[in-house]
Amino acid sequence: MSSHDHAHPEYVQHHFHTAAEQRAASKFGMWAFIAQEILFFAGLFMAYAAFRFFYPETFVAAHEHLSWKMGGVNTIVLITSSLTMALAVRAAQTGNQKQLSIQLLLTIVFACCFLVVKYFEYSAKVHHCLLPGDYYGLPLKDDAGNFKLDAIGNRIFSDHCDIPKSGQMDAKSAGIFFGVYFIMTGMHGLHVLVGIGLLAWIWLRARKGHFHPKYFSPVEYVGLYWHLVDLIWIFLFPLLYLVK
Amino acid sequence: MSGSYGNEGEQSYLSRKGFLTWALTLDHKRIGLMYLGAVLFFFLIGGIMALLVRTELLTAEGDLFSGDNYNKIYTLHGAIMVFVFIIPSVPAALGNFLLPLMLGAKDVAFPRLNLASWYIYLLGSAFLIFSVLAGSIDTGWTFYTPYSIGPSDNGNAIIAATLGVFILGFSSILTGVNFISTIHKMRAPGMKWMDMPLMIWALYATSVIQVLATPVLAITLLLLVFERLLGFGIFNPALGGDPVLYQHFFWFYSHPAVYIMILPGFGIVSELLTVHSRKRIFGYKAIAFSSVAIAVIGFLVWGHHMFVSGQSELSSTIFSGITFAVAIPTAIKVFGWVATLYKGSIRFTTPMLYGLYFIFTFTIGGLTGLPLATLASDVHLHDTYYVVAHFHYVMMGGLVIAFIGGLHHWWPKMTGRMYNIKLAAFASVLVFIGFNLTFFSQFFLGSQGMPRRYHAYDRVSESLQGTYKFWHQMSTSGSYILAIGLFITLGYLLASLRKGGTRSPHNPWGGVSMEWLTATPPIEHNFEGQPVCTHGPYEFPEIDKSAQDKH
Ligand code: HEM
Ligand SMILES: [Cu+2]
């Protein structure tokens, strides 16, 4: 037992010598994790860039059907939540337990707002059949499961799918646009969902008084993660909703 | 260095018994050992697939398997070898065990994450196994579109396999994050960056690639899954998508991934050659930084896999040029190793034999990459057996040879047992001969036009068929010799674990890096007290320091 005589505060795991070492290592790890998140989304941004390059007209036409108002509201919601998150970290650093708990809760509320708005946005897309690939315009199928085609070989869209039926967008590339749209915002939304889980977890821990000016790393790291989620949205929003 | 040699205070990390002490362990050594068991198991399975492939090619006719089944078998071989054997083999298995020990730390920075990555690995492997049960994939290990998105009777298998590789990727990322933090922040007092064993430098460069490249594979495979499930379109030309985009995405990960595979091998070999020739490494900094240089340049060469895929000529030329640039840091290493041997007191132990084989086989592998990086010759060689030979020389002749060498070097440290030395040397010769016979033959096959991924070659002219048959038979015989060598190896390694197996001396090779400071096998918390680093990793007592300036 010789090596474990020195007194460890209970928040320091025993393979670290000091709280400072634990903090340095865990912070470094968090940044490495954030680097991989960025690369993950970079792949999606590359897909966006490639298809924007291939089909500029469709991308311009299709983005008219995204609601910049809802996107804009969500941008404000997320930026505000980043502020409350930063305040939460500050509260943890100064040992203000009440503020910590309030700011975390506020962050969670904003995150949920974001998802609610997202839900309405997605519903509108589904309503107009602005869906990825094979589902764009919900094309009709015959009994064997093959797509029905019209005289010139195009898919026949379902009657209620007004926008695809209007033919103002090239169906194939529009299917790709909405594929890119759904996977980018979907992956981002998934990160928001995970963020809510993480926030709830540290909120519970905060209520038990786990954090104090000497130990607040988890709050800080969830904060880093949350800012990242915010940052990704700041790029997604103009690229998908605004750029002509 | 201070620290303890004895077995006094604490017990060996192996002494606690019971399933749960393993399943819930946070000890990096135990996690490393579990990984080792798993990767060896998959090496065996992948190896059996390889033997089946080789056996089919003994004759020109497709007599053993149908074309479809042949496709499935080599795909499984490749996917297993790459994703569940080679990539985790050195980092997650040996690296997990060694990294904290070599740094003088008690564990990796995030032990729980480490255990999580092990279970994620198991989950990913389970998906791969499930894909076999669901009909098996026949796309090749690269999951190229359109094979992977076309109408197929084994669509579920493709989804299962891609999800499996997606999941495995996270295991790899977590290991990378863990190692990077550990190396940055948990080195023993006194250990500066330039005091780290080169194995650590190699694992460092590897981890950086794991963290930065794997997420791109993850997103690629996710897009592929959506493509299959939703008819997404982005890789499907019929829907306006671009199959070459898939190749860009895939190789953006997978070329760096070949360095995930080889860099740890460089690290091991640097250890083997120094310890067993009692010399300081020649050009420590050059070898350390060339690992990093390879990691960086490796991110910029992916297009060399797409010279004939319709990539623009300008891009091809640029990619070709940058690919040549990778050869420079690679050659620096090889020169460094050879110079290390010069005037060394070389001992032909089994680990050293593998170290020497590595220099030979890896150099062939690297050099044969250059004709592939040359646009004109690649048009001829692409998708032939020449490419197969090239990458087996680097992956098997490079990484796997280094891995086996490292296994022999650190086996005593890990298990406390010594294997049968004579048998080991004998088996290593079989491995070396078998390997070269198997794969050197394939250079001839490929340069004469034998395409890869064909199960029969009976539709070519009589004389060409004869040539192909000759080299295929050489190759297949070689693979049998190789297999025998590897089975013997497995046999004596396992035998050393039996009750009454030979106990290894504390430090059988006289290593001076920190992992040799602890007990053999190490105690649960690695070191009694905190070891302090007072000298470099290759300061062997035999080295004559009298002529040297004090610094
Ligand atoms: C000096 C360094 C190297 C050079 C110049 C080089 C060059 C190349 C080129 C140009 C190709 C594409 C050939 C084609 O498909 O037509 C290739 C294929 C390949 N290389 Fe290398 N290479 C090098 C080192 C390595 C290393 C270290 C590894 C792995 C450990 C590796 C693994 C592979 C694999 C797996 C393939 C084939 C992938 C496939 O198509 O299935 N290479 N190499
Ligand atoms: Cu490559």
Side-chain angles (χ1 to χ4, degrees), chain B residues 251 254-255 258 301-302 304-305:
Chain B
W251 289 112
S254 286
H255 185 83
V258 307
V301 301
W302 75 88
H304 65 211
H305 294 275

Side-chain angles (χ1 to χ4, degrees), chain B residues 141 251 258 304-305 366 369 372-373 378 382 390-391 394-395 452:
Chain B
W141 73 278
W251 289 112
V258 307
H304 65 211
H305 294 275
L372 294 175
D378 185 62
H382 177 73
H390 156 68
F391 69 70
V394 275
M395 305 217 286
R452 66 193 282 199

Side-chain angles (χ1 to χ4, degrees), chain A residues 82-170:
Chain A
S82 253
L83 175 68
T84 54
M85 186 70 233
L87 290 173
V89 175
R90 180 81 197 132
Q93 284 168 338
T94 54
N96 188 337
Q97 302 293 345
K98 187 150 168 261
Q99 270 298 312
L100 172 59
S101 163
I102 291 177
Q103 298 297 353
L104 285 176
L105 266 186
L106 277 176
T107 315
I108 295 176
V109 170
F110 284 126
C112 294
C113 286
F114 179 91
L115 289 183
V116 170
V117 174
K118 193 98 272 167
Y119 168 78
F120 285 112
E121 235 190 295
Y122 278 2
S123 315
K125 298 293 155 303
V126 174
H127 178 77
H128 293 291
C129 321
L130 297 174
L131 295 169
D134 280 346
Y135 293 83
Y136 179 76
L138 298 177
L140 306 176
K141 290 187 178 178
D142 60 22
D143 295 338
N146 298 320
F147 290 114
K148 287 187 188 166
L149 301 177
D150 65 11
I152 51 169
N154 287 327
R155 292 177 182 178
I156 305 165
F157 298 127
S158 298
D159 277 336
H160 71 280
C161 299
D162 48 348
I163 301 173
K165 258 189 127 49
S166 76
Q168 46 167 299
M169 283 182 282
D170 161 51

